Amino acid sequence: MNRGRTALLSLTALLGTALTALPAEADEVEQIRNGTFDGTTDPWWVSNVTAALSDGRLCADVPGGTANPWDAAVGQNDLTLVKGESYRFSFTASGAPAGNAVRAIVGLSQAPYDTWFEVKPQLSVSGDAYAYTFTSPVDTAQGQVAFQLGGAAQAWRFCMDDVSLLGGVPPEPYEPDTGPRVRVNQVAYLPTGPKNATLVTDATEALPWQLKSAEGAVLARGRTVPRGGDVSSGQNVHSIDFGSHRARGKGLTLVADGETSRPFDIDAAVYEQLRLDALKFYYTQRSGIEIRDDLRPGYGRPAGHVGVAPNQGDANVPCRPGVCDHTLDVTGGWYDAGDHGKYVVNGGISTWELLSTYERALHARTGRPGPLRDGTLAIPESGNKVPDLLDEVRWELEFLLRMQVPDGEPLAGMAHHKMHDEQWTGLPLLPSDDPQKRELHPPSTQATLNLAATAAQAARLYRPYDRAFAARALTAARKAWTAALAHPEMYADPNDGIGGGAYADSDATDEFYWAAAELYLTTGERQFERHIVTSPVHTADIFGPLGFDWARTAAAGRLDLATVPNRLPGRDRVRQSVIKGADRYLATLKAQPYGMPYAPDGNLYDWGSNHQVLNNAVIIATAHDLTGAGKYRDGALQSMDYVLGRNALNISYVTGYGEVGAQNQHSRWYARQLDPALPNPPRGTLAGGPNSSIQDPYAQSKLQGCVGQFCYIDDIQSWSTNELTINWNAALARMASFVADQG
């Protein structure tokens, strides 16, 4: 996942043009010569394949064992592209055996071989037709269309026909089915909580609305509040407030302007289940262990990356060439997202947010540790007298500890930034079937401080259950802290994005602050207190429009200093800063007709915007924990409405929740959309959500010119808008837990 996919970032050059260019006025002109292979393969070239005509198609026998997609290819050069003109790139293609992927690109035929458009469809034996539109970012007479076929372990056969690159074609319009114009939380409102909806309408005057039971009886009525144009969606909208109705009910609907909403409940019980489902997600993300079908019916699979062929395994992973001379056992942990990589910085923020969900249950006025007790998550460790949430998180913590450079090696105590496949793999692909070489990537200051922070937090939370593990975690945290102080600017390479996301970050002051906070909260030592109070982060305004994330971790330290009992001098100012941040997000929520505490600058929705909505809601929820004020409780509760259906697309972004919800999140093994033998993502999985940058080719082919909330598509190919990740689900779990506690 993530903005680190530099293998495809050449597409961002296209993006700036794609979002602003008007459809070309030129006549449609075919750029491909002999795309139907009429008696010859000229002027197509081949590289490292044996190609010939077969039944009017060009078929290529591709050798197995190549490392990169471009190690075997078919293509055509000397194509002319006009900057700002739209093109339709289409072809039919088949592969045998089924399941192989072709990387089809339009780019520059000479160095530096820029790529301006690319797709990577899986091929079936019977053949399929593919068509995409894009806008050229350049003027060139050295364009190229290429079908890159390398990277497969076994030999295979590729056939293609009807290849076309047609210029002067406007982008194909994509009109999502948004259903009824009354947008509600499709899951449930709390009986004692706020109840708001959004009506999309051209009307400028207030309109009557009715709340109806499942049987059609009118339960409440009122009038809408016109809100005018909504920047986030480009729609004209009204607000509906039916919070005065507190009776429980199931299958309720709102009716306004001749439209009937999708059904919803007024009940708190569903959030108890959502809390558990959001947490159960992590078991099926585990690496290095068989996923038992009796614990997750329909999701059982063999252990991934344990050295059983074709896996090369994670028990003895080397560094990338030139990085180090040691190997590490880095088994375990969670697969980060829809790929097979494991990343310390994303694992760190995920671990912290889940541990903080548990820690909140211990300290907050409405916290309840009981729902997180042993036996609640149906995992292999259930029944060991340790809270299941702590058991699940320990699976990731053990991996994070293994990523620390051992004593006696250069950079001892630092943590490797990430480990993953040497090359990107295609979809679908079970973890147990991944044949790629696994590699450790260089240590980074940020990864080391993520380890220090989470291990220090773990030391205090696991002490009642496993004193030896708590002591080991604290030792590792101290060692990481010392190593980071010695190497304060060792940052991940932003270009290190082949086979896995780069997760680049050029500022570690926030990670130093967070790690010092966790070490102080666990030890109370003056050295960590001094770092906190002298850090510029300590008094900085850290609650901006985008909120916190793996690259913006100051809030993790600030929230824990505000909520975990401690004696930090000036602690009241820390708590007030959180409340001030919550006030800002609450004001944003009230100004948004769709009621979410998220309004990015320029209405440019960021990668994973759904979890940013939820993390901003975490700040509001924490203000309620600190003050008990009802306005913060209501704001936090209302924030959940957006991800559960009260949005411009009228879709629940959580699988299995709501009448119409996301179900095709980008994943290599939750891939039913590509392989009916595989499941969709498990119930309780959060989709990334609208992303104005639409970096992936599929989203670009559908969403060019999209406005804010409409920059999303529920398709497995759209990794920039529809991936799942461990940190996004952590935000969902934390907020679902808060809402459940309010019930």
Side-chain angles (χ1 to χ4, degrees):
M1 56 90 51
N2 178 289
R3 57 189 65 96
R5 285 188 186 273
T6 52
L8 298 176
L9 284 189
S10 57
L11 291 171
T12 58
L14 161 66
L15 185 61
T17 301
L19 291 181
T20 58
L22 295 174
E25 298 297 333
D27 292 335
E28 294 184 3
V29 178
E30 179 61 66
Q31 304 299 318
I32 294 293
R33 302 178 299 281
N34 190 28
T36 54
F37 307 104
D38 297 328
T40 178
T41 61
D42 291 335
W44 294 87
W45 53 260
V46 299
S47 174
N48 197 26
V49 300
T50 301
L53 295 179
S54 176
D55 297 327
R57 302 173 299 166
L58 185 151
C59 291
D61 291 315
V62 186
T66 55
N68 305 300
W70 49 87
D71 290 340
V74 178
Q76 184 175 135
N77 293 343
D78 302 324
L79 306 179
T80 298
L81 297 175
V82 177
K83 184 176 181 179
E85 183 166 318
S86 295
Y87 293 82
R88 179 180 297 117
F89 179 34
S90 60
F91 54 92
T92 61
S94 64
N100 284 291
V102 55
R103 182 174 182 246
I105 70 165
V106 181
L108 183 62
S109 63
Q110 58 191 26
Y113 300 104
D114 292 337
T115 298
W116 303 313
F117 182 77
E118 71 169 89
V119 289
K120 195 175 182 181
Q122 300 293 122
L123 302 176
S124 68
V125 175
S126 60
D128 286 296
Y130 303 91
Y132 310 91
T133 59
F134 72 99
T135 302
S136 174
V138 298
D139 286 312
T140 184
Q142 285 79 45
Q144 175 192 85
V145 161
F147 295 86
Q148 297 177 353
L149 309 170
Q154 305 297 323
W156 63 291
R157 184 171 175 83
F158 168 76
C159 293
M160 67 179 186
D161 199 0
D162 300 321
V163 184
S164 173
L165 184 65
L166 197 63
V169 177
E172 294 181 5
Y174 168 67
E175 295 293 338
D177 180 5
T178 56
R181 291 183 286 104
V182 183
R183 311 288 159 79
V184 298
N185 176 334
Q186 296 178 31
V187 178
Y189 298 89
L190 297 193
T192 59
K195 303 173 190 69
N196 294 279
T198 301
L199 169 67
V200 179
T201 177
D202 292 332
T204 58
E205 302 294 328
L207 298 171
W209 60 260
Q210 294 179 333
L211 173 67
K212 292 189 174 182
S213 70
E215 295 74 29
V218 176
L219 304 175
R221 64 181 73 237
R223 297 188 70 81
T224 65
V225 177
R227 300 292 296 273
D230 169 41
V231 172
S232 74
S233 64
Q235 300 167 323
N236 191 79
V237 297
H238 292 202
S239 293
I240 298 172
D241 182 348
F242 58 106
S244 61
H245 183 84
R246 295 192 167 196
R248 286 175 169 79
K250 293 187 178 299
L252 309 179
T253 55
L254 269 177
V255 179
D257 199 22
E259 296 277 311
T260 300
S261 75
R262 288 173 174 149
F264 58 89
D265 297 346
I266 296 179
D267 193 9
V270 68
Y271 288 99
E272 296 284 358
Q273 188 60 49
L274 178 56
R275 163 170 36 200
L276 297 179
D277 285 340
L279 292 171
K280 286 182 176 182
F281 162 84
Y282 291 91
Y283 174 55
T284 54
Q285 288 291 117
R286 286 192 191 187
S287 174
I289 187 174
E290 175 192 7
I291 304 305
R292 289 167 43 186
D293 200 69
D294 62 315
L295 298 179
R296 296 292 185 276
Y299 291 89
R301 59 172 173 80
H305 299 99
V306 292
V308 176
N311 281 173
Q312 299 189 35
D314 287 352
N316 193 36
V317 177
C319 285
R320 292 189 67 199
V323 171
C324 73
D325 295 325
H326 61 260
T327 62
L328 291 181
D329 176 356
V330 287
T331 51
W334 299 316
Y335 296 116
D336 177 73
D339 61 274
H340 301 132
K342 298 184 287 190
Y343 309 81
V344 172
V345 292
N346 213 46
I349 195 68
S350 306
T351 295
W352 166 79
E353 191 147 24
L354 293 176
L355 288 180
S356 293
T357 299
Y358 179 77
E359 199 157 23
R360 180 197 171 274
L362 300 178
H363 301 305
R365 66 184 70 219
T366 60
R368 295 186 294 131
L372 304 173
R373 65 188 181 278
D374 184 27
T376 53
L377 297 183
I379 56 177
E381 298 82 4
S382 294
N384 65 355
K385 299 182 180 179
V386 177
D388 274 4
L389 177 53
L390 295 186
D391 278 327
E392 186 58 63
V393 175
R394 182 165 174 173
W395 193 262
E396 177 71 5
L397 279 165
E398 294 281 7
F399 161 73
L400 296 177
L401 294 170
R402 293 185 183 113
M403 290 288 279
Q404 192 164 34
V405 178
D407 293 341
E409 297 287 346
L411 301 177
M414 295 287 284
H416 287 277
H417 194 70
K418 58 178 183 168
M419 66 83 52
H420 53 67
D421 293 333
E422 183 180 32
Q423 300 291 332
W424 286 109
T425 56
L427 289 81
L429 187 69
L430 286 170
S432 55
D433 293 336
D434 176 13
Q436 289 277 345
K437 177 186 177 184
R438 308 281 272 175
E439 293 179 330
L440 295 167
H441 290 247
S444 72
T445 303
Q446 284 87 343
T448 304
L449 292 167
N450 269 260
L451 174 59
T454 54
Q457 185 184 26
R460 64 178 180 265
L461 291 177
Y462 287 83
R463 191 175 293 135
Y465 304 101
D466 189 334
R467 296 184 69 85
F469 174 68
R472 177 161 66 94
L474 186 56
T475 297
R478 291 182 184 278
K479 185 180 295 185
W481 174 259
T482 301
L485 289 175
H487 305 282
E489 296 182 351
M490 186 172 289
Y491 302 147
D493 180 357
N495 296 313
D496 184 12
I498 303 298
Y503 284 96
D505 179 8
S506 59
D507 181 2
T509 56
D510 51 337
E511 283 87 2
F512 271 110
Y513 177 73
W514 173 32
E518 300 300 347
L519 282 158
Y520 171 74
L521 290 170
T522 297
T523 69
E525 293 176 9
R526 289 294 299 277
Q527 61 168 319
F528 304 119
E529 177 189 304
R530 284 194 298 271
H531 189 95
I532 292 168
V533 298
T534 59
S535 170
V537 176
H538 189 51
T539 54
D541 182 359
I542 61 173
F543 300 112
L546 294 183
F548 63 87
D549 196 2
W550 64 267
R552 299 181 298 275
T553 60
R558 189 81 63 88
L559 289 174
D560 283 1
L561 289 171
T563 57
V564 178
N566 67 85
R567 297 182 177 180
L568 183 74
R571 183 172 178 235
D572 186 61
R573 290 193 298 273
V574 174
R575 296 161 68 95
Q576 288 301 317
S577 74
V578 176
I579 296 168
K580 183 179 179 181
D583 286 336
R584 178 180 299 165
Y585 293 136
L586 199 59
T588 298
L589 180 150
K590 291 179 179 178
Q592 295 274 68
Y594 277 100
M596 65 282 198
Y598 179 71
D601 292 340
N603 197 40
L604 297 177
Y605 276 56
D606 201 17
W607 202 319
S609 62
N610 281 343
H611 97 292
Q612 292 171 334
V613 171
L614 294 176
N615 277 341
N616 290 351
V618 166
I619 308 302
I620 300 174
T622 303
H624 174 68
D625 290 340
L626 293 174
T627 68
K631 66 178 181 179
Y632 299 121
R633 174 183 182 268
D634 287 354
L637 295 178
Q638 188 178 162
S639 300
M640 287 290 285
D641 296 346
Y642 172 81
V643 298
L644 295 176
R646 187 192 172 196
N647 52 61
L649 288 169
N650 203 3
I651 184 175
S652 168
Y653 288 111
V654 181
T655 54
Y657 284 82
E659 183 178 71
V660 176
Q663 58 182 342
N664 296 310
Q665 287 99 319
H666 176 83
S667 169
R668 280 158 178 75
W669 59 100
Y670 311 128
R672 180 179 292 273
Q673 189 178 6
L674 299 177
D675 183 349
L678 295 175
N680 283 322
R683 179 178 166 90
T685 301
L686 180 69
N691 173 5
S692 296
S693 295
I694 54 172
Q695 287 92 339
D696 66 86
Y698 187 80
Q700 288 182 347
S701 73
K702 301 290 186 182
L703 303 178
Q704 292 188 29
C706 60
V707 175
Q709 291 193 52
F710 283 99
C711 297
Y712 170 83
I713 188 166
D714 181 29
D715 192 283
I716 195 170
Q717 299 177 77
S718 183
W719 43 260
S720 69
T721 78
N722 200 39
E723 194 160 12
L724 53 85
T725 77
I726 55 175
N727 61 317
W728 299 347
N729 243 67
L732 176 64
R734 181 159 180 172
M735 279 307 301
S737 188
F738 175 85
V739 176
D741 285 347
Q742 308 316 304

